[in-house]
Each structure stands twice: as structure tokens, then as C-alpha cells.
Coordinates of all heavy atoms in Angstrom, one line a residue:
M9 N -6.0 7.8 5.4 CA -5.0 8.1 6.4 C -3.9 8.9 5.9 O -3.6 8.9 4.7 CB -4.5 6.8 7.0 CG -3.3 6.2 6.5 SD -2.8 4.6 7.1 CE -3.4 3.6 5.9
Q10 N -3.3 9.6 6.7 CA -2.1 10.5 6.4 C -1.0 10.1 7.3 O -1.1 10.0 8.5 CB -2.5 11.9 6.5 CG -1.4 12.8 6.1 CD -1.8 14.3 5.9 OE1 -3.0 14.6 6.1 NE2 -0.9 15.1 5.5
I11 N 0.2 10.0 6.7 CA 1.4 9.6 7.4 C 2.4 10.8 7.4 O 2.6 11.4 6.3 CB 2.1 8.4 6.8 CG1 1.2 7.2 6.8 CG2 3.4 8.1 7.5 CD1 1.7 6.0 6.1
S12 N 2.9 11.1 8.5 CA 4.0 12.1 8.5 C 5.2 11.5 9.3 O 5.0 10.7 10.2 CB 3.6 13.4 9.2 OG 3.2 13.2 10.5
V13 N 6.4 11.8 8.8 CA 7.6 11.3 9.4 C 8.5 12.5 9.8 O 8.7 13.3 8.9 CB 8.4 10.3 8.4 CG1 9.7 9.9 9.1 CG2 7.5 9.2 8.0
D14 N 8.8 12.6 11.0 CA 9.7 13.6 11.5 C 11.1 13.2 11.1 O 11.7 12.4 11.8 CB 9.6 13.8 13.0 CG 10.4 15.0 13.5 OD1 11.4 15.4 12.8 OD2 10.0 15.5 14.6
M15 N 11.6 13.8 10.0 CA 12.9 13.4 9.5 C 14.1 13.9 10.5 O 15.2 13.4 10.3 CB 13.1 13.9 8.1 CG 12.2 13.3 7.1 SD 12.1 11.4 7.2 CE 13.7 11.1 6.5
N16 N 13.7 14.8 11.4 CA 14.7 15.2 12.4 C 14.9 14.1 13.4 O 16.0 14.0 14.1 CB 14.3 16.5 13.1 CG 14.4 17.7 12.1 OD1 15.3 17.8 11.3 ND2 13.4 18.5 12.2
L17 N 13.9 13.3 13.6 CA 14.0 12.1 14.6 C 14.4 10.8 13.9 O 15.1 10.0 14.5 CB 12.6 11.9 15.2 CG 12.1 12.9 16.2 CD1 10.7 12.6 16.7 CD2 13.0 13.1 17.4
C18 N 14.0 10.6 12.6 CA 14.3 9.4 11.9 C 15.8 9.1 11.9 O 16.6 9.9 11.5 CB 13.7 9.4 10.5 SG 14.0 7.9 9.6
E19 N 16.2 7.9 12.3 CA 17.5 7.4 12.3 C 17.7 6.3 11.3 O 18.7 5.6 11.4 CB 18.0 7.1 13.7 CG 18.0 8.2 14.7 CD 18.3 7.8 16.1 OE1 18.4 6.6 16.4 OE2 18.5 8.8 16.9
S20 N 16.8 6.0 10.4 CA 16.8 5.0 9.4 C 17.1 3.6 10.0 O 17.9 2.8 9.4 CB 17.9 5.4 8.4 OG 17.6 6.6 7.7
H21 N 16.4 3.3 11.1 CA 16.5 2.0 11.6 C 15.9 0.9 10.7 O 16.3 -0.2 10.7 CB 15.8 1.9 13.0 CG 16.6 2.6 14.1 ND1 17.7 2.1 14.7 CD2 16.4 3.9 14.5 CE1 18.1 3.0 15.6 NE2 17.3 4.1 15.5
G22 N 14.9 1.3 9.9 CA 14.3 0.4 8.9 C 13.2 -0.5 9.5 O 12.7 -1.3 8.7
Q23 N 12.8 -0.3 10.7 CA 11.7 -1.2 11.2 C 10.4 -1.0 10.4 O 9.6 -1.9 10.2 CB 11.5 -0.9 12.7 CG 12.7 -1.3 13.6 CD 13.2 -2.7 13.3 OE1 12.4 -3.6 13.4 NE2 14.4 -2.9 13.1
C24 N 10.2 0.3 10.0 CA 8.9 0.6 9.3 C 9.0 -0.1 7.9 O 8.0 -0.5 7.4 CB 8.8 2.1 9.1 SG 10.2 3.0 8.4
V25 N 10.2 -0.1 7.3 CA 10.3 -0.8 6.0 C 10.0 -2.2 6.1 O 9.3 -2.8 5.2 CB 11.7 -0.5 5.4 CG1 11.9 -1.3 4.1 CG2 12.0 1.0 5.3
F26 N 10.4 -2.9 7.1 CA 10.1 -4.3 7.3 C 8.6 -4.5 7.6 O 8.0 -5.5 7.1 CB 10.9 -4.9 8.5 CG 12.4 -5.0 8.1 CD1 13.3 -4.3 8.8 CD2 12.8 -5.9 7.1 CE1 14.6 -4.4 8.5 CE2 14.2 -6.0 6.8 CZ 15.1 -5.2 7.5
A27 N 8.0 -3.6 8.4 CA 6.6 -3.7 8.7 C 5.6 -3.4 7.6 O 4.6 -4.0 7.5 CB 6.3 -2.9 10.0
A28 N 6.0 -2.4 6.8 CA 5.1 -2.0 5.7 C 5.9 -1.6 4.5 O 6.0 -0.4 4.1 CB 4.2 -0.8 6.2
P29 N 6.4 -2.6 3.8 CA 7.3 -2.2 2.6 C 6.5 -1.6 1.5 O 7.1 -1.0 0.6 CB 7.8 -3.6 2.2 CG 6.9 -4.6 2.8 CD 6.4 -4.0 4.0
E30 N 5.1 -1.7 1.5 CA 4.3 -1.1 0.5 C 4.3 0.5 0.6 O 4.0 1.2 -0.3 CB 2.9 -1.6 0.5 CG 2.7 -3.1 0.4 CD 2.8 -3.8 1.7 OE1 3.3 -3.3 2.7 OE2 2.3 -5.0 1.7
V31 N 4.7 0.9 1.8 CA 4.6 2.3 2.1 C 5.9 3.0 2.4 O 6.2 4.1 2.0 CB 3.7 2.5 3.4 CG1 3.6 4.0 3.8 CG2 2.3 1.9 3.1
F32 N 6.8 2.2 3.0 CA 8.1 2.8 3.4 C 9.2 2.1 2.7 O 9.2 0.9 2.5 CB 8.4 2.6 4.9 CG 7.3 3.3 5.8 CD1 6.2 2.6 6.3 CD2 7.4 4.6 6.1 CE1 5.3 3.2 7.1 CE2 6.5 5.3 6.9 CZ 5.4 4.5 7.4
S33 N 10.3 2.9 2.3 CA 11.4 2.3 1.7 C 12.6 3.3 1.8 O 12.4 4.4 2.4 CB 11.2 2.0 0.2 OG 10.9 3.2 -0.5
F34 N 13.8 2.8 1.4 CA 14.9 3.7 1.4 C 15.3 4.1 0.0 O 15.2 3.3 -0.9 CB 16.1 3.0 2.1 CG 16.0 2.8 3.6 CD1 15.9 1.6 4.1 CD2 15.9 3.9 4.4 CE1 15.7 1.4 5.5 CE2 15.8 3.8 5.8 CZ 15.7 2.5 6.3
D35 N 15.8 5.3 -0.2 CA 16.2 5.7 -1.5 C 17.7 5.3 -1.7 O 18.2 4.6 -0.8 CB 16.1 7.2 -1.7 CG 17.0 8.1 -0.9 OD1 17.9 7.6 -0.2 OD2 16.7 9.3 -0.9
D36 N 18.3 5.6 -2.8 CA 19.7 5.2 -3.1 C 20.7 5.7 -2.1 O 21.8 5.1 -2.0 CB 20.1 5.6 -4.5 CG 19.3 4.9 -5.6 OD1 18.7 3.8 -5.3 OD2 19.2 5.4 -6.7
E37 N 20.3 6.7 -1.3 CA 21.3 7.3 -0.3 C 20.9 6.9 1.1 O 21.3 7.5 2.1 CB 21.3 8.8 -0.5 CG 21.9 9.2 -1.8 CD 22.0 10.7 -2.0 OE1 21.8 11.4 -1.1 OE2 22.4 11.1 -3.2
D38 N 20.0 5.9 1.2 CA 19.5 5.3 2.5 C 18.7 6.3 3.3 O 18.7 6.3 4.5 CB 20.7 4.8 3.3 CG 21.2 3.5 2.7 OD1 20.5 2.8 2.0 OD2 22.4 3.2 3.0
Y39 N 18.0 7.3 2.6 CA 17.1 8.1 3.3 C 15.7 7.5 3.2 O 15.3 7.0 2.1 CB 17.1 9.5 2.7 CG 18.3 10.3 3.0 CD1 19.2 10.6 2.0 CD2 18.5 10.8 4.3 CE1 20.4 11.3 2.3 CE2 19.6 11.6 4.6 CZ 20.6 11.8 3.6 OH 21.7 12.5 3.9
L40 N 14.9 7.6 4.2 CA 13.6 7.0 4.2 C 12.7 7.8 3.3 O 12.7 9.0 3.3 CB 13.0 7.0 5.7 CG 11.6 6.4 5.8 CD1 11.7 4.9 5.6 CD2 11.0 6.8 7.1
V41 N 11.9 7.1 2.5 CA 10.9 7.7 1.7 C 9.6 7.0 2.0 O 9.6 5.8 2.4 CB 11.2 7.7 0.2 CG1 12.4 8.6 -0.1 CG2 11.5 6.3 -0.3
H42 N 8.5 7.6 1.8 CA 7.2 7.0 2.2 C 6.1 7.6 1.4 O 6.1 8.7 0.9 CB 6.9 7.1 3.6 CG 6.6 8.5 4.1 ND1 7.5 9.5 4.3 CD2 5.4 9.1 4.4 CE1 7.0 10.6 4.7 NE2 5.7 10.4 4.8
D43 N 5.0 6.8 1.2 CA 3.7 7.3 0.6 C 3.0 8.0 1.8 O 2.6 7.3 2.7 CB 3.0 6.1 0.1 CG 1.6 6.4 -0.5 OD1 1.3 7.6 -0.5 OD2 1.0 5.5 -1.0
A44 N 2.8 9.3 1.6 CA 2.1 10.0 2.7 C 0.6 9.8 2.8 O 0.1 10.0 3.9 CB 2.3 11.5 2.5
T45 N 0.0 9.2 1.8 CA -1.4 9.0 1.9 C -1.7 7.6 1.3 O -2.4 7.5 0.2 CB -2.2 10.1 1.1 OG1 -1.8 10.1 -0.2 CG2 -2.1 11.4 1.8
P46 N -1.3 6.5 1.9 CA -1.5 5.2 1.4 C -3.0 4.8 1.5 O -3.8 5.4 2.3 CB -0.6 4.3 2.3 CG -0.6 5.0 3.6 CD -0.6 6.5 3.2
D47 N -3.4 3.7 0.8 CA -4.7 3.2 0.9 C -5.0 2.8 2.3 O -4.2 2.2 3.0 CB -4.8 2.0 -0.1 CG -6.2 1.6 -0.3 OD1 -6.8 0.9 0.7 OD2 -6.8 1.8 -1.4
D48 N -6.2 3.0 2.8 CA -6.6 2.6 4.1 C -6.5 1.1 4.3 O -6.5 0.6 5.5 CB -8.1 3.1 4.4 CG -8.1 4.5 4.9 OD1 -7.0 5.1 5.3 OD2 -9.1 5.2 4.8
A49 N -6.5 0.3 3.3 CA -6.4 -1.2 3.4 C -5.0 -1.5 4.1 O -4.9 -2.6 4.6 CB -6.5 -1.8 2.1
L50 N -4.1 -0.6 4.0 CA -2.7 -0.8 4.6 C -2.6 -0.3 6.1 O -1.6 -0.3 6.7 CB -1.7 -0.1 3.8 CG -1.5 -0.7 2.4 CD1 -0.6 0.2 1.5 CD2 -1.0 -2.1 2.4
R51 N -3.8 0.2 6.6 CA -3.7 0.8 8.0 C -3.1 -0.1 9.0 O -2.2 0.4 9.8 CB -5.1 1.2 8.4 CG -5.1 1.8 9.8 CD -6.5 2.3 10.2 NE -6.8 3.5 9.5 CZ -6.4 4.8 9.8 NH1 -5.6 4.9 10.8 NH2 -6.8 5.8 9.1
E52 N -3.4 -1.3 9.1 CA -2.9 -2.2 10.1 C -1.3 -2.3 10.0 O -0.6 -2.1 11.0 CB -3.5 -3.6 10.1 CG -3.0 -4.5 11.2 CD -3.7 -5.8 11.2 OE1 -4.9 -5.9 10.7 OE2 -3.1 -6.8 11.6
K53 N -0.8 -2.4 8.8 CA 0.6 -2.5 8.6 C 1.3 -1.2 8.9 O 2.3 -1.1 9.5 CB 0.9 -2.9 7.1 CG 0.7 -4.3 6.8 CD 1.2 -4.6 5.4 CE 1.4 -6.0 5.2 NZ 2.1 -6.3 3.9
V54 N 0.6 -0.1 8.6 CA 1.2 1.3 8.8 C 1.2 1.5 10.4 O 2.2 2.0 10.9 CB 0.4 2.4 8.1 CG1 0.8 3.7 8.6 CG2 0.6 2.2 6.6
E55 N 0.2 1.1 11.0 CA 0.2 1.3 12.5 C 1.2 0.5 13.2 O 1.9 0.9 14.1 CB -1.2 1.0 13.1 CG -2.2 2.1 12.7 CD -3.6 1.9 13.1 OE1 -3.9 0.7 13.5 OE2 -4.4 2.8 13.0
K56 N 1.5 -0.8 12.7 CA 2.5 -1.6 13.2 C 3.9 -1.0 12.9 O 4.8 -1.0 13.7 CB 2.5 -3.0 12.6 CG 1.4 -3.8 13.2 CD 1.4 -5.2 12.6 CE 0.2 -6.0 13.2 NZ 0.1 -7.4 12.6
A57 N 4.0 -0.4 11.7 CA 5.3 0.3 11.4 C 5.6 1.5 12.3 O 6.7 1.7 12.8 CB 5.2 0.8 9.9
A58 N 4.5 2.3 12.6 CA 4.7 3.4 13.5 C 5.1 3.0 14.9 O 5.9 3.5 15.5 CB 3.4 4.2 13.5
A59 N 4.4 1.9 15.3 CA 4.7 1.4 16.7 C 6.1 0.8 16.8 O 6.7 0.8 17.8 CB 3.6 0.3 17.1
A60 N 6.6 0.3 15.7 CA 7.9 -0.4 15.7 C 9.1 0.6 15.6 O 10.2 0.3 15.9 CB 8.0 -1.3 14.5
C61 N 8.8 1.9 15.2 CA 9.8 2.9 15.1 C 10.4 3.2 16.5 O 9.7 3.6 17.4 CB 9.3 4.2 14.5 SG 10.5 5.5 14.4
P62 N 11.7 2.9 16.7 CA 12.3 3.1 18.0 C 12.4 4.5 18.5 O 12.5 4.8 19.7 CB 13.7 2.4 17.9 CG 14.0 2.4 16.4 CD 12.6 2.3 15.7
V63 N 12.3 5.5 17.6 CA 12.4 6.9 17.9 C 11.0 7.6 17.8 O 11.0 8.8 17.9 CB 13.5 7.6 17.2 CG1 14.9 7.1 17.5 CG2 13.2 7.6 15.7
R64 N 10.0 6.9 17.5 CA 8.6 7.4 17.3 C 8.6 8.6 16.4 O 8.0 9.6 16.6 CB 8.1 7.8 18.7 CG 8.0 6.7 19.7 CD 7.0 5.7 19.3 NE 6.8 4.6 20.3 CZ 7.1 3.4 20.1 NH1 7.5 3.0 18.9 NH2 6.9 2.5 21.0
A65 N 9.2 8.4 15.2 CA 9.2 9.5 14.2 C 8.0 9.5 13.3 O 7.8 10.4 12.6 CB 10.5 9.3 13.3
I66 N 7.2 8.4 13.4 CA 6.0 8.2 12.4 C 4.7 8.6 13.1 O 4.5 8.0 14.2 CB 6.0 6.8 11.9 CG1 7.3 6.5 11.2 CG2 4.8 6.6 10.9 CD1 7.5 5.0 10.8
T67 N 3.9 9.4 12.5 CA 2.6 9.8 13.0 C 1.6 9.4 11.9 O 1.7 9.7 10.8 CB 2.5 11.3 13.3 OG1 3.5 11.6 14.2 CG2 1.1 11.6 13.8
V68 N 0.5 8.7 12.4 CA -0.6 8.3 11.5 C -1.8 9.0 11.9 O -2.2 9.0 13.1 CB -0.8 6.7 11.6 CG1 -1.9 6.3 10.6 CG2 0.5 6.0 11.3
S69 N -2.5 9.7 11.0 CA -3.7 10.4 11.4 C -4.7 10.3 10.2 O -4.3 9.9 9.1 CB -3.4 11.9 11.6 OG -2.7 12.4 10.5
P70 N -6.0 10.6 10.5 CA -7.0 10.6 9.4 C -6.6 11.7 8.4 O -6.0 12.7 8.8 CB -8.3 10.9 10.2 CG -8.0 10.9 11.6 CD -6.5 11.0 11.8
L71 N -7.1 11.5 7.2 CA -7.0 12.6 6.2 C -7.8 13.8 6.6 O -8.9 13.6 7.1 CB -7.4 12.1 4.8 CG -6.4 11.3 4.0 CD1 -7.1 10.7 2.8 CD2 -5.2 12.1 3.6
P72 N -7.3 15.0 6.4 CA -8.1 16.1 6.7 C -9.3 16.2 5.8 O -9.3 15.8 4.7 CB -7.2 17.3 6.5 CG -6.0 16.8 5.8 CD -6.0 15.3 5.9
A73 N -10.5 16.7 6.3 CA -11.7 16.8 5.5 C -11.4 17.9 4.5 O -10.7 18.8 4.7 CB -12.8 17.2 6.4
T74 N -12.0 17.6 3.3 CA -11.8 18.6 2.2 C -13.0 19.5 2.1 O -14.2 19.1 2.4 CB -11.6 17.9 0.8 OG1 -12.7 17.0 0.6 CG2 -10.4 17.0 0.8
A75 N -12.8 20.7 1.8 CA -13.9 21.7 1.7 C -14.6 21.4 0.3 O -14.0 21.2 -0.7 CB -13.4 23.1 1.7
S76 N -15.9 21.5 0.3 CA -16.6 21.3 -0.9 C -17.5 22.5 -1.2 O -17.7 23.3 -0.5 CB -17.4 20.0 -0.9 OG -18.2 19.9 0.2

């Protein structure tokens, strides 16, 4: 899975950090940081985090296929 966060929308409410602390956190200046490609085992938590975001700044999508 791939996660993108629209930092123009993010208001650092922190609901994603509570829902999926393995993926989302705040840096020392209270800016949201995240793992853009977490393990699929965390999908349920990530989807809950995206749903909990009050400004809908988080998008979860499948990883793009790689050319071989």
C-alpha cells in the first residue's frame, strides 16, 4: 500500500497518530511524518487512520506496479 498525505490540508489533529502510531507521528516541530509504504499487515490501522482524519488529508492506495 502507498500512503499520501496532503500537507496543505493536514492540520495536525493527530487522529492518525492515535490510530496507527507505527505509521504516523509528529516530528520535534509538530509536523506530521509518516511511512509512505508501510507493511500491508498495517492496512486496517492505516485505513482507520485515514477515516479518522477530520480534513481527509490521507489517501491510501495500492502500490503502483513495477516494470520488469
Side-chain angles (χ1 to χ4, degrees):
M9 95 183 97
Q10 183 166 1
I11 299 171
S12 60
V13 178
D14 185 336
M15 296 307 292
N16 292 318
L17 291 176
C18 180
E19 297 175 349
S20 298
H21 290 278
Q23 298 305 310
C24 58
V25 176
F26 291 114
E30 301 90 342
V31 177
F32 300 95
S33 62
F34 290 115
D35 67 11
D36 292 340
E37 296 180 8
D38 289 335
Y39 288 107
L40 183 71
V41 293
H42 68 285
D43 178 357
T45 56
D47 191 287
D48 278 340
L50 296 169
R51 177 173 289 280
E52 185 175 332
K53 284 185 162 189
V54 169
E55 289 176 348
K56 285 182 181 178
C61 178
V63 296
R64 301 292 185 242
I66 301 169
T67 303
V68 182
S69 56
L71 277 174
T74 56
S76 54

